[in-house]
């Protein structure tokens, strides 16, 4: 029988550095004193001091001048050196591309948004390059300084390769090796993920505790991500594609926009942002005095409903009913603790939220809490940056 040998000093020092760095991360962005680090890590003060010295020398931490103290000697404080490992997050959509660079503490160094001129893979790639170039320039960074990249894309993404398998909203996009292109440029860990999945991670990161969360990205299209006890649930690869649900209470064909060939599913065609505007205009045709007769976007419809317009309120209730009808089976199967709605529709406010909750009450056994994401359209980018940071920390805490 082989006797187990204790870990050597280099291994112990690496473990101590990882523990101290993780403690500083959990306190970020606030600087922390040695005494606090000793308490948080349950390591002796001399051990913490040695680990801090090593991390300062390696560039992971920075030292702050002591605060004036009324009693005793002022204590030196330490915080993350965010510039030690900046990350890039990309939100790649059919109409816009947003590039965001954040430092190790999650502080945004640059956020650049680019409109896509035409709905084609080539124009989308051009927008990705332009947004990325400007984000790097704004942050004052070179590509080789980026330590992890996470890109959000519409469509079904193969988990093991990052290849986009199906994305009807952008012709030719599934033929592009986005992950390969990004790896060739940045020479670091690159992850490509479905946009709704990253929105779900962002929503879950804002909450504390375990549980099941269903995050819905609702704009022109609809998708969802599921997070169970902090882990993304992908299923066989297509989990969350709620846009292709066909609810029993679907709107009549006369209320649907002409969507031939655009790849949108039944639910997207029924209550996507464009469909909401079309429905509002049809309902207001006989009521020209209604504010929604001139609505140009879904936000105007929700604002009119919140302001007491009865026709707008009717439209919102109809949309909420269709959404609840579609999502109720998902709620009955998963029994999520909360549904978080992000995307452009997240700006609808309580008028939509209350209507959805009311309809779910009649369709489910234990209705979950329904919330609107505070991040709204920024949810996907936040999720992309968070996934990139998670990758950096996963690697850093094992080798620091």
């Amino acid at each position: 029988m082989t006797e187990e040998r204790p870990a050597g000093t280099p291994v112990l020092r690496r473990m101590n550095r990882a523990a101290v760095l993780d403690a500083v991360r959990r306190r970020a962005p606030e600087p922390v004193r040695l005494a606090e680090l000793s308490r948080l890590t349950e390591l002796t003060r001399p051990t913490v001091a040695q680990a801090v010295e090593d991390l300062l020398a390696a560039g992971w931490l920075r030292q702050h001048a002591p605060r004036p103290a009324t009693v005793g000697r002022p204590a030196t404080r330490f915080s993350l050196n965010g510039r030690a490992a900046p990350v890039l997050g990309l939100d790649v959509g059919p109409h816009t591309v947003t590039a965001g660079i954040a430092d190790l503490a999650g502080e945004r160094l640059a956020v650049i948004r680019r409109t896509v001129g035409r709905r084609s893979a080539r124009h989308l790639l051009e927008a990705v390059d332009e947004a990325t170039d400007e984000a790097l320039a704004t942050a004052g960074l070179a590509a080789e300084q980026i330590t992890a990249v996470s890109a959000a894309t519409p469509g079904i993404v193969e988990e093991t390769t990052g290849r986009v398998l199906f994305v009807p909203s952008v012709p030719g996009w599934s033929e592009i090796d986005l992950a390969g292109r990004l790896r060739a440029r940045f020479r670091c860990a690159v992850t490509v993920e479905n946009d709704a999945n990253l929105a779900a991670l962002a929503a879950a990161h804002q909450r504390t505790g375990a549980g099941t969360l269903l995050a819905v990205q609702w704009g022109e299209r609809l998708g969802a991500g599921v997070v169970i006890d902090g882990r993304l649930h992908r299923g066989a690869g297509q989990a969350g594609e709620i846009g292709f649900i066909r609810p029993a209470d679907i709107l009549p064909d006369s209320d649907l926009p002409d969507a031939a060939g655009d790849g949108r599913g039944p639910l997207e065609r029924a209550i996507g942002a464009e469909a909401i505007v079309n429905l509002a205009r049809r309902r207001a045709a006989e009521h020209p005095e209604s504010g929604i007769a001139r609505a140009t976007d879904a936000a105007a419809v929700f604002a009119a409903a919140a302001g007491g317009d009865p026709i707008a309120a009717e439209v919102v209730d109809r949309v909420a009913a269709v959404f609840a009808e579609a999502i109720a089976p998902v709620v009955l199967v998963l029994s999520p603790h909360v549904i978080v709605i992000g995307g452009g529709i997240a700006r609808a406010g309580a008028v939509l939220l209350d209507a959805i909750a009311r309809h779910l009450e009649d369709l489910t056994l234990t209705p979950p809490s329904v919330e609107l994401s505070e991040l709204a359209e920024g949810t996907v980018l936040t999720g992309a940056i968070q996934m990139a940071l998670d990758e950096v920390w996963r690697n850093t805490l094992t080798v620091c």
Side-chain angles (χ1 to χ4, degrees):
M1 180 176 179
T2 303
E3 182 179 352
E4 184 177 351
R5 298 178 61 185
T9 301
V11 175
L12 289 175
R13 286 184 65 168
R14 187 165 65 246
M15 292 172 63
N16 293 336
R17 287 195 296 269
V20 169
L21 186 59
D22 189 44
V24 177
R25 173 180 68 145
R26 286 185 276 117
R27 288 294 301 273
E30 290 297 317
V32 60
R33 297 176 289 112
L34 288 178
E36 293 174 289
L37 289 173
S38 180
R39 176 177 55 81
L40 290 169
T41 61
E42 299 184 345
L43 297 172
T44 65
R45 187 184 177 99
T47 299
V48 169
Q50 179 62 64
V52 166
E53 183 178 329
D54 292 344
L55 292 168
L56 285 169
W60 289 105
L61 298 183
R62 57 179 177 168
Q63 184 172 316
H64 297 261
R67 286 176 176 167
T70 55
V71 179
R73 182 180 177 183
T76 303
R77 298 167 301 140
F78 306 91
S79 68
L80 290 176
N81 176 17
R83 290 273 177 164
V87 302
L88 170 67
L90 291 167
D91 177 6
V92 183
H95 302 294
T96 59
V97 172
T98 306
I101 295 178
D103 68 12
L104 193 60
E107 187 75 21
R108 301 286 175 92
L109 305 178
V111 176
I112 303 298
R113 185 183 177 93
R114 279 283 174 270
T115 301
V116 181
R118 294 173 58 188
R119 191 175 294 194
S120 71
R122 181 173 67 84
H123 288 88
L124 198 54
L125 280 176
E126 290 175 356
V128 169
D129 290 340
E130 291 173 3
T132 300
D133 288 344
E134 188 171 343
L136 288 169
T138 301
L141 296 170
E144 56 267 22
Q145 292 176 275
I146 299 297
T147 56
V149 178
S150 179
T153 175
I156 297 171
V157 179
E158 188 176 47
E159 180 184 0
T160 55
T161 65
R163 297 284 304 201
V164 182
L165 303 180
F166 177 69
V167 53
S169 58
V170 184
W173 189 240
S174 60
E175 300 169 12
I176 302 297
D177 182 9
L178 180 61
R181 288 174 60 93
L182 292 171
R183 289 190 187 102
R185 178 174 185 183
F186 291 97
R187 305 290 180 181
C188 65
V190 172
T191 304
V192 176
E193 182 58 88
N194 172 266
D195 50 6
N197 282 345
L198 288 179
L201 287 178
H205 190 260
Q206 288 192 308
R207 308 178 67 84
T208 58
T212 299
L213 176 146
L214 176 65
V216 177
Q217 276 299 102
W218 191 349
E220 181 179 328
R221 308 187 72 93
L222 277 92
V226 181
V227 175
I228 301 175
D229 294 337
R231 297 176 64 100
L232 186 64
H233 174 72
R234 293 184 176 86
Q238 294 82 41
E241 293 295 332
I242 63 170
F244 292 90
I245 292 176
R246 179 178 291 276
D249 189 27
I250 199 165
L251 301 176
D253 290 341
S254 60
D255 287 331
L256 300 180
D258 182 9
D262 73 350
R264 279 184 287 178
L267 190 61
E268 294 171 324
R269 290 187 286 116
I271 57 171
E274 181 184 351
I276 292 173
V277 175
N278 288 347
L279 175 62
R281 288 174 176 171
R282 289 189 176 95
R283 292 293 187 265
E286 299 176 2
H287 303 273
E289 75 283 359
S290 171
I292 63 173
R294 296 168 298 279
T296 58
D297 56 28
V301 178
F302 294 119
D309 187 307
I311 306 303
E314 174 193 322
V315 170
V316 171
D317 187 72
R318 180 73 163 143
V319 168
V322 173
F323 176 80
E325 177 77 22
I327 212 74
V330 180
V331 172
L332 290 169
V333 171
L334 290 178
S335 187
H337 295 83
V338 62
I339 298 174
V340 180
I341 299 174
I345 300 301
R347 300 193 183 280
V351 65
L352 177 64
L353 206 64
D354 294 345
I356 290 173
R358 184 176 68 255
H359 285 289
L360 279 177
E361 184 81 29
D362 298 331
L363 296 168
T364 59
L365 297 175
T366 306
S369 169
V370 183
E371 303 174 3
L372 298 176
S373 171
E374 296 178 359
L375 300 169
E377 292 96 332
T379 308
V380 174
L381 180 64
T382 298
I385 289 174
Q386 186 58 51
M387 176 169 276
L389 286 171
D390 288 345
E391 177 66 26
V392 169
W393 280 110
R394 195 160 36 246
N395 294 332
T396 298
L397 294 178
T398 60
V399 301
C400 69

